[in-house]
Amino acid sequence: MRFAYHHKIRRASYLWTGSINGIKLQIWSTWLFYAVLVDLGDAVADELSLPFDEVSLEMIYRGLYHFTMAHQKGKATDPVKYFADPKNRDLGIVKQKRKPNTKLIVAPFPELQRGSDQFFFNNSLKAS
């Protein structure tokens, strides 16, 4: 994930500083936040028995609000268990599987033109 994204979501972009120590502090805190987020994502992936790549760190970050609300109401105590709970699948922690790329058929009557050159959409321009 990008530095600017984490910098903005932590609202550190609204903290202006001109000193090198202030800038170093913002960079260090962004890396620390990212490390905690990755660690939490790894723990959730282990709990769900999934590869780490199938867990969305952005959705875990967004789901932290929901966890803190549930924690304040006394409904949740562990963020890993909360995100892995089947009742919370609507938070989108697990990435959806992508559909495979398919070729676009542009023939007006595909069953009649299956063998022709104009059956599939061709993205390259042919020189005449």
Side-chain angles (χ1 to χ4, degrees):
M1 294 193 149
R2 300 182 319 258
F3 169 77
Y5 174 73
H6 289 292
H7 191 68
K8 184 172 182 167
I9 63 176
R10 287 184 309 100
R11 301 199 187 273
S13 59
Y14 302 111
L15 177 65
W16 185 88
T17 182
S19 71
I20 191 68
N21 286 338
I23 294 169
K24 286 180 181 179
L25 179 67
Q26 288 182 357
I27 292 171
W28 182 83
S29 65
T30 300
W31 277 107
L32 182 64
F33 172 76
Y34 182 69
V36 170
L37 193 61
V38 167
D39 192 38
L40 180 59
D42 187 41
V44 171
D46 286 344
E47 185 73 22
L48 293 171
S49 301
L50 293 172
F52 177 72
D53 292 342
E54 291 185 20
V55 174
S56 172
L57 293 181
E58 181 177 359
M59 297 311 287
I60 287 179
Y61 171 74
R62 290 179 178 203
L64 284 174
Y65 168 78
H66 300 285
F67 170 73
T68 55
M69 293 296 113
H71 182 69
Q72 287 178 357
K73 293 177 182 178
K75 296 180 180 179
T77 55
D78 183 18
V80 175
K81 302 278 187 205
Y82 180 79
F83 290 130
D85 190 6
K87 293 184 282 186
N88 297 324
R89 294 293 168 131
D90 60 340
L91 294 176
I93 301 301
V94 179
K95 293 179 183 176
Q96 294 181 357
K97 300 281 185 192
R98 292 187 177 197
K99 294 179 183 177
N101 290 337
T102 57
K103 288 188 174 184
L104 178 63
I105 298 174
V106 294
F109 303 104
E111 59 279 349
L112 300 176
Q113 297 174 326
R114 189 164 294 274
S116 73
D117 293 337
Q118 298 172 347
F119 184 67
F120 292 111
F121 177 74
N122 191 356
N123 202 7
S124 63
L125 298 174
K126 293 183 181 179
S128 32

Short mmCIF file of all heavy atoms in Angstrom, two decimals, residues 17-65:
data_model
loop_
_atom_site.label_atom_id
_atom_site.label_comp_id
_atom_site.label_asym_id
_atom_site.label_seq_id
_atom_site.Cartn_x
_atom_site.Cartn_y
_atom_site.Cartn_z
N THR A 17 4.07 20.27 9.19
CA THR A 17 5.33 20.52 9.90
C THR A 17 6.41 20.78 8.86
O THR A 17 6.38 20.23 7.77
CB THR A 17 5.72 19.35 10.81
OG1 THR A 17 6.92 19.67 11.48
CG2 THR A 17 5.92 18.07 10.03
N GLY A 18 7.32 21.64 9.22
CA GLY A 18 8.40 21.95 8.30
C GLY A 18 9.72 21.38 8.77
O GLY A 18 10.71 21.41 8.04
N SER A 19 9.76 20.85 9.97
CA SER A 19 11.03 20.33 10.48
C SER A 19 11.25 18.90 10.01
O SER A 19 10.31 18.16 9.75
CB SER A 19 11.05 20.37 12.01
OG SER A 19 10.17 19.40 12.52
N ILE A 20 12.50 18.53 9.90
CA ILE A 20 12.83 17.17 9.46
C ILE A 20 12.38 16.14 10.48
O ILE A 20 11.96 15.05 10.12
CB ILE A 20 14.35 17.05 9.16
CG1 ILE A 20 14.66 15.73 8.44
CG2 ILE A 20 15.16 17.18 10.42
CD1 ILE A 20 14.10 15.66 7.05
N ASN A 21 12.39 16.49 11.78
CA ASN A 21 11.93 15.54 12.80
C ASN A 21 10.44 15.27 12.68
O ASN A 21 9.98 14.15 12.88
CB ASN A 21 12.25 16.06 14.20
CG ASN A 21 13.71 15.95 14.53
OD1 ASN A 21 14.43 15.16 13.93
ND2 ASN A 21 14.17 16.76 15.47
N GLY A 22 9.65 16.28 12.35
CA GLY A 22 8.21 16.10 12.16
C GLY A 22 7.91 15.20 10.97
O GLY A 22 7.02 14.36 11.02
N ILE A 23 8.67 15.38 9.91
CA ILE A 23 8.48 14.56 8.71
C ILE A 23 8.90 13.12 9.00
O ILE A 23 8.20 12.18 8.62
CB ILE A 23 9.27 15.15 7.53
CG1 ILE A 23 8.66 16.51 7.16
CG2 ILE A 23 9.26 14.21 6.34
CD1 ILE A 23 9.48 17.31 6.20
N LYS A 24 10.00 12.95 9.70
CA LYS A 24 10.44 11.60 10.06
C LYS A 24 9.42 10.92 10.97
O LYS A 24 9.17 9.72 10.85
CB LYS A 24 11.80 11.65 10.75
CG LYS A 24 12.95 11.92 9.82
CD LYS A 24 14.26 11.95 10.59
CE LYS A 24 15.44 12.25 9.70
NZ LYS A 24 16.71 12.30 10.46
N LEU A 25 8.83 11.68 11.87
CA LEU A 25 7.81 11.13 12.77
C LEU A 25 6.60 10.66 11.99
O LEU A 25 6.05 9.58 12.26
CB LEU A 25 7.39 12.17 13.81
CG LEU A 25 6.33 11.73 14.80
CD1 LEU A 25 6.87 10.64 15.70
CD2 LEU A 25 5.86 12.91 15.63
N GLN A 26 6.16 11.43 10.99
CA GLN A 26 5.02 11.02 10.17
C GLN A 26 5.33 9.77 9.36
O GLN A 26 4.50 8.86 9.25
CB GLN A 26 4.61 12.16 9.25
CG GLN A 26 3.94 13.30 9.97
CD GLN A 26 3.50 14.40 9.01
OE1 GLN A 26 3.74 14.32 7.82
NE2 GLN A 26 2.84 15.40 9.55
N ILE A 27 6.52 9.70 8.79
CA ILE A 27 6.91 8.52 8.02
C ILE A 27 7.00 7.30 8.93
O ILE A 27 6.49 6.23 8.61
CB ILE A 27 8.24 8.76 7.27
CG1 ILE A 27 8.03 9.81 6.18
CG2 ILE A 27 8.78 7.47 6.68
CD1 ILE A 27 9.30 10.29 5.53
N TRP A 28 7.62 7.46 10.08
CA TRP A 28 7.76 6.35 11.03
C TRP A 28 6.39 5.87 11.51
O TRP A 28 6.14 4.67 11.58
CB TRP A 28 8.62 6.80 12.22
CG TRP A 28 8.84 5.70 13.20
CD1 TRP A 28 9.77 4.71 13.14
CD2 TRP A 28 8.11 5.47 14.40
NE1 TRP A 28 9.66 3.88 14.22
CE2 TRP A 28 8.64 4.33 15.02
CE3 TRP A 28 7.04 6.13 15.02
CZ2 TRP A 28 8.14 3.84 16.21
CZ3 TRP A 28 6.56 5.63 16.21
CH2 TRP A 28 7.11 4.51 16.79
N SER A 29 5.50 6.79 11.82
CA SER A 29 4.18 6.37 12.31
C SER A 29 3.37 5.69 11.21
O SER A 29 2.59 4.77 11.49
CB SER A 29 3.41 7.57 12.88
OG SER A 29 3.13 8.51 11.87
N THR A 30 3.56 6.11 9.96
CA THR A 30 2.88 5.44 8.85
C THR A 30 3.37 4.02 8.69
O THR A 30 2.57 3.09 8.52
CB THR A 30 3.08 6.23 7.54
OG1 THR A 30 2.56 7.54 7.72
CG2 THR A 30 2.39 5.55 6.37
N TRP A 31 4.68 3.81 8.77
CA TRP A 31 5.23 2.46 8.67
C TRP A 31 4.79 1.60 9.85
O TRP A 31 4.50 0.41 9.70
CB TRP A 31 6.76 2.49 8.58
CG TRP A 31 7.22 2.74 7.18
CD1 TRP A 31 7.76 3.89 6.69
CD2 TRP A 31 7.13 1.85 6.07
NE1 TRP A 31 8.03 3.76 5.36
CE2 TRP A 31 7.65 2.51 4.95
CE3 TRP A 31 6.67 0.55 5.92
CZ2 TRP A 31 7.73 1.92 3.70
CZ3 TRP A 31 6.74 -0.04 4.68
CH2 TRP A 31 7.27 0.64 3.58
N LEU A 32 4.73 2.18 11.02
CA LEU A 32 4.28 1.43 12.20
C LEU A 32 2.82 1.02 12.05
O LEU A 32 2.44 -0.12 12.32
CB LEU A 32 4.47 2.28 13.46
CG LEU A 32 4.10 1.61 14.78
CD1 LEU A 32 4.99 0.42 15.04
CD2 LEU A 32 4.20 2.61 15.92
N PHE A 33 1.98 1.94 11.58
CA PHE A 33 0.57 1.64 11.35
C PHE A 33 0.44 0.53 10.32
O PHE A 33 -0.35 -0.41 10.49
CB PHE A 33 -0.16 2.90 10.88
CG PHE A 33 -1.56 2.64 10.42
CD1 PHE A 33 -2.57 2.40 11.34
CD2 PHE A 33 -1.87 2.62 9.08
CE1 PHE A 33 -3.86 2.16 10.92
CE2 PHE A 33 -3.17 2.38 8.66
CZ PHE A 33 -4.16 2.14 9.58
N TYR A 34 1.19 0.61 9.24
CA TYR A 34 1.14 -0.41 8.19
C TYR A 34 1.58 -1.77 8.73
O TYR A 34 0.98 -2.80 8.41
CB TYR A 34 2.00 0.01 7.00
CG TYR A 34 1.97 -0.96 5.86
CD1 TYR A 34 0.82 -1.12 5.10
CD2 TYR A 34 3.08 -1.72 5.53
CE1 TYR A 34 0.78 -2.02 4.04
CE2 TYR A 34 3.05 -2.62 4.49
CZ TYR A 34 1.90 -2.76 3.75
OH TYR A 34 1.86 -3.66 2.71
N ALA A 35 2.61 -1.79 9.56
CA ALA A 35 3.09 -3.05 10.13
C ALA A 35 2.03 -3.69 11.03
O ALA A 35 1.81 -4.90 10.99
CB ALA A 35 4.37 -2.81 10.93
N VAL A 36 1.34 -2.89 11.82
CA VAL A 36 0.27 -3.41 12.68
C VAL A 36 -0.88 -3.93 11.82
O VAL A 36 -1.45 -4.99 12.10
CB VAL A 36 -0.21 -2.33 13.67
CG1 VAL A 36 -1.47 -2.76 14.38
CG2 VAL A 36 0.88 -2.01 14.67
N LEU A 37 -1.21 -3.21 10.76
CA LEU A 37 -2.29 -3.64 9.87
C LEU A 37 -1.94 -4.95 9.17
O LEU A 37 -2.78 -5.84 9.04
CB LEU A 37 -2.57 -2.54 8.85
CG LEU A 37 -3.84 -2.67 8.03
CD1 LEU A 37 -5.06 -2.65 8.94
CD2 LEU A 37 -3.93 -1.53 7.03
N VAL A 38 -0.70 -5.10 8.71
CA VAL A 38 -0.27 -6.34 8.07
C VAL A 38 -0.29 -7.49 9.07
O VAL A 38 -0.72 -8.60 8.75
CB VAL A 38 1.13 -6.17 7.44
CG1 VAL A 38 1.74 -7.50 7.05
CG2 VAL A 38 1.06 -5.27 6.22
N ASP A 39 0.15 -7.23 10.29
CA ASP A 39 0.13 -8.26 11.32
C ASP A 39 -1.29 -8.71 11.63
O ASP A 39 -1.57 -9.91 11.78
CB ASP A 39 0.82 -7.74 12.58
CG ASP A 39 1.10 -8.85 13.57
OD1 ASP A 39 1.47 -9.96 13.13
OD2 ASP A 39 0.96 -8.61 14.78
N LEU A 40 -2.21 -7.77 11.72
CA LEU A 40 -3.62 -8.10 11.95
C LEU A 40 -4.19 -8.88 10.77
O LEU A 40 -4.90 -9.88 10.95
CB LEU A 40 -4.44 -6.84 12.19
CG LEU A 40 -5.94 -7.02 12.44
CD1 LEU A 40 -6.19 -7.89 13.67
CD2 LEU A 40 -6.60 -5.66 12.62
N GLY A 41 -3.85 -8.47 9.55
CA GLY A 41 -4.30 -9.20 8.36
C GLY A 41 -3.76 -10.61 8.31
O GLY A 41 -4.47 -11.55 7.93
N ASP A 42 -2.52 -10.78 8.72
CA ASP A 42 -1.92 -12.12 8.75
C ASP A 42 -2.61 -13.00 9.78
O ASP A 42 -2.87 -14.18 9.53
CB ASP A 42 -0.42 -12.00 9.05
CG ASP A 42 0.29 -13.33 8.91
OD1 ASP A 42 -0.01 -14.07 7.97
OD2 ASP A 42 1.15 -13.61 9.76
N ALA A 43 -2.93 -12.44 10.93
CA ALA A 43 -3.62 -13.20 11.97
C ALA A 43 -5.03 -13.60 11.52
O ALA A 43 -5.48 -14.72 11.78
CB ALA A 43 -3.69 -12.39 13.27
N VAL A 44 -5.71 -12.70 10.82
CA VAL A 44 -7.05 -13.02 10.30
C VAL A 44 -6.95 -14.11 9.24
O VAL A 44 -7.76 -15.04 9.21
CB VAL A 44 -7.74 -11.75 9.75
CG1 VAL A 44 -9.02 -12.11 9.01
CG2 VAL A 44 -8.04 -10.78 10.88
N ALA A 45 -5.95 -14.03 8.37
CA ALA A 45 -5.76 -15.05 7.34
C ALA A 45 -5.48 -16.41 7.97
O ALA A 45 -6.00 -17.44 7.52
CB ALA A 45 -4.62 -14.65 6.39
N ASP A 46 -4.67 -16.43 9.03
CA ASP A 46 -4.40 -17.69 9.73
C ASP A 46 -5.66 -18.24 10.38
O ASP A 46 -5.91 -19.44 10.35
CB ASP A 46 -3.32 -17.49 10.80
CG ASP A 46 -1.94 -17.34 10.22
OD1 ASP A 46 -1.75 -17.67 9.03
OD2 ASP A 46 -1.05 -16.87 10.95
N GLU A 47 -6.46 -17.37 10.97
CA GLU A 47 -7.71 -17.79 11.61
C GLU A 47 -8.68 -18.38 10.60
O GLU A 47 -9.40 -19.34 10.89
CB GLU A 47 -8.35 -16.61 12.33
CG GLU A 47 -9.58 -16.95 13.12
CD GLU A 47 -9.28 -17.70 14.41
OE1 GLU A 47 -8.15 -17.63 14.92
OE2 GLU A 47 -10.21 -18.38 14.89
N LEU A 48 -8.72 -17.81 9.40
CA LEU A 48 -9.61 -18.29 8.34
C LEU A 48 -8.99 -19.41 7.51
O LEU A 48 -9.65 -19.93 6.61
CB LEU A 48 -10.00 -17.13 7.42
CG LEU A 48 -10.87 -16.04 8.03
CD1 LEU A 48 -11.00 -14.86 7.08
CD2 LEU A 48 -12.24 -16.59 8.38
N SER A 49 -7.73 -19.75 7.77
CA SER A 49 -6.98 -20.76 7.01
C SER A 49 -6.93 -20.40 5.53
O SER A 49 -7.17 -21.24 4.65
CB SER A 49 -7.59 -22.15 7.21
OG SER A 49 -7.57 -22.50 8.56
N LEU A 50 -6.63 -19.14 5.25
CA LEU A 50 -6.51 -18.64 3.89
C LEU A 50 -5.10 -18.09 3.66
O LEU A 50 -4.42 -17.70 4.61
CB LEU A 50 -7.50 -17.51 3.64
CG LEU A 50 -8.98 -17.85 3.64
CD1 LEU A 50 -9.80 -16.58 3.57
CD2 LEU A 50 -9.30 -18.74 2.47
N PRO A 51 -4.66 -18.02 2.41
CA PRO A 51 -3.40 -17.33 2.12
C PRO A 51 -3.56 -15.83 2.42
O PRO A 51 -4.64 -15.27 2.32
CB PRO A 51 -3.18 -17.55 0.63
CG PRO A 51 -4.11 -18.62 0.22
CD PRO A 51 -5.21 -18.66 1.21
N PHE A 52 -2.46 -15.20 2.80
CA PHE A 52 -2.48 -13.79 3.15
C PHE A 52 -2.99 -12.91 2.00
O PHE A 52 -3.65 -11.90 2.23
CB PHE A 52 -1.07 -13.34 3.58
CG PHE A 52 -0.98 -11.88 3.90
CD1 PHE A 52 -1.55 -11.38 5.05
CD2 PHE A 52 -0.33 -11.02 3.03
CE1 PHE A 52 -1.47 -10.02 5.35
CE2 PHE A 52 -0.24 -9.67 3.33
CZ PHE A 52 -0.82 -9.18 4.49
N ASP A 53 -2.70 -13.31 0.76
CA ASP A 53 -3.10 -12.51 -0.40
C ASP A 53 -4.61 -12.45 -0.60
O ASP A 53 -5.10 -11.59 -1.32
CB ASP A 53 -2.46 -13.07 -1.67
CG ASP A 53 -0.96 -12.89 -1.69
OD1 ASP A 53 -0.47 -12.04 -0.92
OD2 ASP A 53 -0.28 -13.58 -2.47
N GLU A 54 -5.35 -13.35 0.03
CA GLU A 54 -6.81 -13.37 -0.14
C GLU A 54 -7.52 -12.50 0.89
O GLU A 54 -8.74 -12.44 0.90
CB GLU A 54 -7.33 -14.80 -0.08
CG GLU A 54 -6.91 -15.63 -1.28
CD GLU A 54 -7.52 -17.00 -1.29
OE1 GLU A 54 -8.54 -17.21 -0.61
OE2 GLU A 54 -6.98 -17.87 -1.99
N VAL A 55 -6.77 -11.83 1.76
CA VAL A 55 -7.35 -10.96 2.78
C VAL A 55 -7.08 -9.51 2.39
O VAL A 55 -5.96 -9.15 2.06
CB VAL A 55 -6.76 -11.27 4.18
CG1 VAL A 55 -7.25 -10.30 5.20
CG2 VAL A 55 -7.12 -12.69 4.58
N SER A 56 -8.11 -8.68 2.44
CA SER A 56 -7.99 -7.27 2.05
C SER A 56 -7.61 -6.42 3.26
O SER A 56 -8.39 -6.30 4.21
CB SER A 56 -9.32 -6.79 1.48
OG SER A 56 -9.29 -5.41 1.28
N LEU A 57 -6.42 -5.83 3.21
CA LEU A 57 -5.98 -4.97 4.31
C LEU A 57 -6.82 -3.70 4.39
O LEU A 57 -7.08 -3.19 5.49
CB LEU A 57 -4.50 -4.60 4.14
CG LEU A 57 -3.51 -5.74 4.27
CD1 LEU A 57 -2.09 -5.22 4.09
CD2 LEU A 57 -3.65 -6.45 5.58
N GLU A 58 -7.26 -3.19 3.26
CA GLU A 58 -8.09 -1.99 3.27
C GLU A 58 -9.42 -2.26 3.96
O GLU A 58 -9.91 -1.44 4.74
CB GLU A 58 -8.33 -1.48 1.85
CG GLU A 58 -9.16 -0.23 1.82
CD GLU A 58 -9.36 0.33 0.43
OE1 GLU A 58 -8.84 -0.24 -0.54
OE2 GLU A 58 -10.06 1.35 0.31
N MET A 59 -10.00 -3.42 3.71
CA MET A 59 -11.28 -3.74 4.34
C MET A 59 -11.11 -4.04 5.83
O MET A 59 -12.01 -3.78 6.62
CB MET A 59 -11.96 -4.90 3.62
CG MET A 59 -12.30 -4.58 2.17
SD MET A 59 -13.16 -3.01 1.94
CE MET A 59 -14.76 -3.41 2.56
N ILE A 60 -9.95 -4.55 6.21
CA ILE A 60 -9.68 -4.72 7.64
C ILE A 60 -9.59 -3.34 8.30
O ILE A 60 -10.15 -3.13 9.37
CB ILE A 60 -8.39 -5.53 7.87
CG1 ILE A 60 -8.65 -6.99 7.54
CG2 ILE A 60 -7.91 -5.39 9.30
CD1 ILE A 60 -7.46 -7.88 7.70
N TYR A 61 -8.91 -2.42 7.64
CA TYR A 61 -8.83 -1.06 8.18
C TYR A 61 -10.23 -0.45 8.32
O TYR A 61 -10.57 0.12 9.35
CB TYR A 61 -7.96 -0.17 7.30
CG TYR A 61 -8.05 1.27 7.72
CD1 TYR A 61 -7.42 1.71 8.88
CD2 TYR A 61 -8.80 2.18 7.00
CE1 TYR A 61 -7.53 3.02 9.29
CE2 TYR A 61 -8.92 3.49 7.41
CZ TYR A 61 -8.28 3.90 8.55
OH TYR A 61 -8.41 5.20 8.97
N ARG A 62 -11.04 -0.58 7.28
CA ARG A 62 -12.39 -0.02 7.34
C ARG A 62 -13.24 -0.75 8.38
O ARG A 62 -14.13 -0.15 8.98
CB ARG A 62 -13.05 -0.11 5.97
CG ARG A 62 -12.43 0.82 4.97
CD ARG A 62 -13.10 0.69 3.63
NE ARG A 62 -12.51 1.63 2.69
CZ ARG A 62 -13.13 2.06 1.62
NH1 ARG A 62 -14.35 1.64 1.35
NH2 ARG A 62 -12.54 2.91 0.81
N GLY A 63 -13.00 -2.04 8.57
CA GLY A 63 -13.76 -2.82 9.54
C GLY A 63 -13.38 -2.52 10.99
O GLY A 63 -14.11 -2.90 11.91
N LEU A 64 -12.25 -1.86 11.20
CA LEU A 64 -11.85 -1.52 12.57
C LEU A 64 -12.88 -0.61 13.24
O LEU A 64 -13.09 -0.69 14.45
CB LEU A 64 -10.47 -0.86 12.59
CG LEU A 64 -9.31 -1.81 12.39
CD1 LEU A 64 -8.00 -1.03 12.28
CD2 LEU A 64 -9.22 -2.82 13.50
N TYR A 65 -13.55 0.23 12.48
CA TYR A 65 -14.61 1.06 13.04
C TYR A 65 -15.73 0.18 13.58
O TYR A 65 -16.21 0.39 14.70
CB TYR A 65 -15.17 2.02 11.99
CG TYR A 65 -16.45 2.69 12.42
CD1 TYR A 65 -16.40 3.76 13.31
CD2 TYR A 65 -17.68 2.24 11.99
CE1 TYR A 65 -17.57 4.37 13.73
CE2 TYR A 65 -18.84 2.84 12.40
CZ TYR A 65 -18.78 3.91 13.28
OH TYR A 65 -19.94 4.50 13.69
#
